[in-house]
Amino acid sequence: MHHLIIQYASLLAIILLVVMAGQKIKIAYPILLVLTGLVLGFVPGLSGIEIEPDMIFVIFLPPLLYEAAWNTSWKDFWKWRRVITSFAFLIVIVTAFVIAIVSSNIIPGFTLALGFLLGGIISPPDAVSATAVLKDVKVPKRLITILEGESLLNDASSLVVFRFALIAVTTGTFVFSHAAVSFVIVIVMGIVTGLVVALIFYAVHRWLPTTTNIDIILTFLTPYAMYIVAEEFHVSGVLAVVSGGLFLSARRQSFLTHRSRLQGVNVWEAVAFVLNGFVFILIGLEFPVIIKDLGPAGINPAIKYSLIITGVLIITRLASTYGALLFTIFISKYIKTADSNPGLKGPLLLGWAGMRGVVSLAAALSIPATLHSGAAFPHRSLILFITFTVILVTLVLQGLTLPALIKWVNMPDPDYTIPFEQQKQMVRKKLSKLSLDILENKYASQLKDNDMVKSLKMKLDADMELLNDWEKGDNSHRADDFYRDYRTVINELMTQQRDLLRTLNKKENINDDIIKQQLDLLDLEEEKIRQHFDHREE
């Protein structure tokens, strides 16, 4: 146990160093972590780390899915629901079918059932990889929404395909009509289970006397409860977490306090970052183990099959995205769609962003070593090798080239014609105007007698004046100068205030809790200012 703790602590330190290096050289951290893990896999002391499939499915997958669902905009998700569902279900099934046909024809002794098993494993793209790559480049919001929404659902559809293919391989029997009915039941009941568990946790948050810490701990229990309950009933745990997460996320303002929301976001960001870091570095660490299992004689054919299947996978996704484009144009003649003519650039970027990751890893590792008869599972090592190669190649090849492709395509945002900064100032102005109207119409007497209310109105008046000044196009340079001067002044004030608080804290007659409280308020104010002006700093 002591040795294991040292191993994972060392890995965590390496993850932090690699992520910092990635930020410095502007390369997405999943790519660097996989490559780092690949190198570390040959280092004595770290090469013995093995990945348990249950650890990925039960420990890693529920919180990662829940965090993704929690940060998904339901408004955008619903707007692009048809595209998202077609990518998450139809394209996953088409991809699995194509991979099944190709693999069963090029690999000697590889049956169609094994092909569907492999197709179910490698069909779902990974949103963490794509969003990490897209973080530092400007890309239309719709592409991010579709990629993230797709990844929330495609995990479920691919795992259902994988589950039925695994049954067909291990038992030797497969009835399509039974599988089709079971497919629908697993999906529908997975969603229902997630919503039922979400309602229970909603009631706990809403009507029991919870604190901020209890609220945050409950948010960590929620995805595990959804996943485990669904899996106990043999329905989709992935869809349970996704549906329940989306339900609670859309209602967070009604059952969580402001402190729970603020602290919960910070805790969840840190936890999701660590979990994703471990997953990607473990992918690289496991690859040398798979190579060893193949043996010297099997490595060359395995490389050939892996590269062919990876190429087919990339081409299939690109073809599917353009197929979705053609279908959208056709169906727009009969029903209302979010965009009747999306253009050629979006499908290209969506197709090239299809990197594979954690779900493919977990599914491949969960293949049993033996069949029900006791015989060795056919081609298990080869399936594992192909899966890891697909993850590695798509992450490195597509991940490194995607930013350059985005810049070359230069796709404008067709949904938001008003610039981001202007939208932000417009919202802030409406909020300030609402507050001023309330003060002047409802609290007129307090404005005359209460100095604190007067001070609040003066602050709102100053905000309105500044926002009106920024709206004038001919004053844009002046506004930028004002912004820089303001940041210089406020940074100086906050630095000096912190220094004073630390000096006061050395006096024995000043309570340390008061100093900490004031420091926390300064941190909150600084974060508020950064949120107001962060777009100008980019």
Side-chain angles (χ1 to χ4, degrees):
M1 177 62 71
H2 182 70
H3 179 65
L4 191 64
I5 291 173
I6 292 175
Q7 278 187 329
Y8 279 96
S10 301
L11 281 182
L12 182 56
I14 292 168
I15 289 168
L16 298 178
L17 290 172
V18 170
V19 172
M20 286 187 283
Q23 291 176 340
K24 188 71 175 176
I25 61 178
K26 302 295 183 184
I27 294 180
Y29 75 86
I31 300 170
L32 289 181
L33 285 174
V34 169
L35 294 176
T36 302
L38 184 61
V39 174
L40 292 177
F42 297 97
V43 175
L46 291 175
S47 57
I49 295 178
E50 294 185 5
I51 308 175
E52 291 291 334
D54 289 341
M55 182 177 72
I56 300 292
F57 273 126
V58 179
I59 297 177
F60 285 78
L61 201 56
L64 289 176
L65 286 168
Y66 191 73
E67 195 262 347
W70 193 263
N71 291 321
T72 297
S73 165
W74 176 251
K75 170 187 170 183
D76 291 336
F77 185 91
W78 185 253
K79 178 180 180 181
W80 298 103
R81 62 192 182 279
R82 293 189 182 94
V83 178
I84 289 171
T85 51
S86 67
F87 272 63
F89 293 101
L90 184 60
I91 290 181
V92 163
I93 294 171
V94 168
T95 302
F97 180 79
V98 171
I99 295 299
I101 298 297
V102 172
S103 59
S104 61
N105 278 282
I106 66 170
I107 302 174
F110 213 75
T111 64
L112 199 60
L114 285 171
F116 271 107
L117 183 74
L118 177 61
I121 292 171
I122 63 176
S123 56
D126 179 62
V128 174
S129 309
T131 51
V133 171
L134 296 174
K135 183 181 66 174
D136 296 322
V137 292
K138 289 186 177 180
V139 66
K141 182 71 163 55
R142 65 165 65 177
L143 298 185
I144 302 291
T145 300
I146 293 170
L147 283 171
E148 291 179 345
E150 169 198 7
S151 73
L152 285 175
L153 302 178
N154 64 20
D155 295 343
S157 56
S158 65
L159 290 176
V160 172
V161 172
F162 168 78
R163 180 186 297 181
F164 288 122
L166 188 61
I167 292 172
V169 174
T170 53
T171 63
T173 58
F174 180 80
V175 179
F176 178 79
S177 58
H178 293 172
V181 173
S182 298
F183 184 87
V184 174
I185 292 173
V186 165
I187 289 174
V188 172
M189 291 310 298
I191 295 172
V192 171
T193 303
L195 292 175
V196 170
V197 176
L199 283 169
I200 294 171
F201 276 91
Y202 177 87
V204 171
H205 282 287
R206 186 76 184 270
W207 290 297
L208 292 185
T210 60
T211 64
T212 299
N213 289 333
I214 292 174
D215 278 335
I216 294 173
I217 293 169
L218 283 172
T219 62
F220 279 100
L221 287 176
T222 303
Y224 290 110
M226 292 171 178
Y227 186 86
I228 292 170
V229 170
E231 290 296 321
E232 284 295 316
F233 286 102
H234 304 291
V235 296
S236 175
V238 171
L239 275 179
V241 175
V242 170
S243 59
L246 287 172
F247 175 86
L248 292 174
S249 172
R251 291 159 179 80
R252 72 181 82 178
Q253 301 293 332
S254 64
F255 69 87
L256 290 178
T257 64
H258 70 283
R259 291 190 65 187
S260 297
R261 292 193 297 271
L262 284 172
Q263 294 184 27
V265 166
N266 294 329
V267 172
W268 267 100
E269 281 184 356
V271 170
F273 166 75
V274 171
L275 291 178
N276 278 312
F278 270 114
V279 166
F280 284 108
I281 203 167
L282 288 173
I283 290 173
L285 278 170
E286 193 72 9
F287 200 53
V289 178
I290 304 302
I291 295 173
K292 184 179 178 181
D293 290 343
L294 273 175
I299 188 68
N300 288 333
I303 292 173
K304 182 182 73 171
Y305 301 143
S306 300
L307 293 178
I308 292 172
I309 288 171
T310 303
V312 170
L313 191 71
I314 293 171
I315 293 169
T316 301
R317 179 169 175 85
L318 285 167
S320 297
T321 57
Y322 280 104
L325 166 66
L326 294 175
F327 180 77
T328 299
I329 294 172
F330 169 76
I331 204 67
S332 295
K333 299 175 182 178
Y334 306 99
I335 62 173
K336 183 180 179 181
T337 57
D339 189 349
S340 59
N341 189 12
L344 299 175
K345 295 180 178 180
L348 175 61
L349 297 179
L350 285 171
W352 198 249
M355 292 157 279
R356 270 55 181 178
V358 55
V359 174
S360 296
L361 164 72
L365 291 171
S366 68
I367 297 175
T370 59
L371 301 173
H372 290 168
S373 63
F377 196 96
H379 297 287
R380 184 177 188 273
S381 295
L382 179 60
I383 293 172
L384 288 172
F385 183 87
I386 293 172
T387 302
F388 277 80
T389 303
V390 165
I391 295 171
L392 182 65
V393 172
T394 55
L395 269 177
V396 175
L397 173 63
Q398 294 177 287
L400 289 177
T401 57
L402 184 58
L405 180 65
I406 290 169
K407 292 178 181 177
W408 177 71
V409 168
N410 191 27
M411 180 181 177
D413 195 328
D415 301 310
Y416 298 100
T417 54
I418 303 175
F420 182 87
E421 182 65 25
Q422 191 175 341
Q423 292 181 51
K424 184 191 290 186
Q425 304 308 335
M426 181 178 67
V427 171
R428 288 181 58 198
K429 186 175 179 180
K430 287 182 179 295
L431 290 173
S432 296
K433 187 177 185 305
L434 171 67
S435 301
L436 284 169
D437 289 342
I438 292 172
L439 285 176
E440 292 168 355
N441 297 327
K442 191 173 181 180
Y443 297 100
S445 60
Q446 286 87 340
L447 279 174
K448 294 178 181 178
D449 305 325
N450 191 319
D451 289 338
M452 294 183 70
V453 177
K454 286 181 183 178
S455 175
L456 176 60
K457 185 176 184 301
M458 289 173 63
K459 182 181 182 301
L460 290 169
D461 283 333
D463 286 344
M464 282 293 289
E465 185 177 348
L466 185 62
L467 290 167
N468 286 331
D469 190 49
W470 280 350
E471 277 188 347
K472 299 173 183 176
D474 55 346
N475 284 334
S476 59
H477 294 297
R478 183 184 172 206
D480 288 337
D481 291 338
F482 280 1
Y483 162 72
R484 283 190 291 269
D485 292 343
Y486 179 77
R487 288 308 302 263
T488 300
V489 172
I490 201 70
N491 286 338
E492 174 68 17
L493 290 177
M494 288 187 171
T495 300
Q496 295 296 333
Q497 286 174 342
R498 288 189 176 99
D499 289 342
L500 175 61
L501 287 169
R502 283 190 286 267
T503 302
L504 291 173
N505 200 31
K506 295 176 183 177
K507 300 181 182 297
E508 291 188 4
N509 62 339
I510 300 293
N511 192 313
D512 183 64
D513 289 338
I514 295 174
I515 302 297
K516 289 180 179 177
Q517 185 183 65
Q518 292 301 314
L519 288 170
D520 288 343
L521 288 173
L522 282 175
D523 290 340
L524 191 60
E525 183 64 22
E526 187 171 3
E527 176 62 16
K528 180 181 176 182
I529 293 167
R530 189 193 69 80
Q531 291 288 345
H532 277 174
F533 300 114
D534 61 350
H535 191 70
R536 286 177 170 267
E537 292 180 334
E538 293 176 357

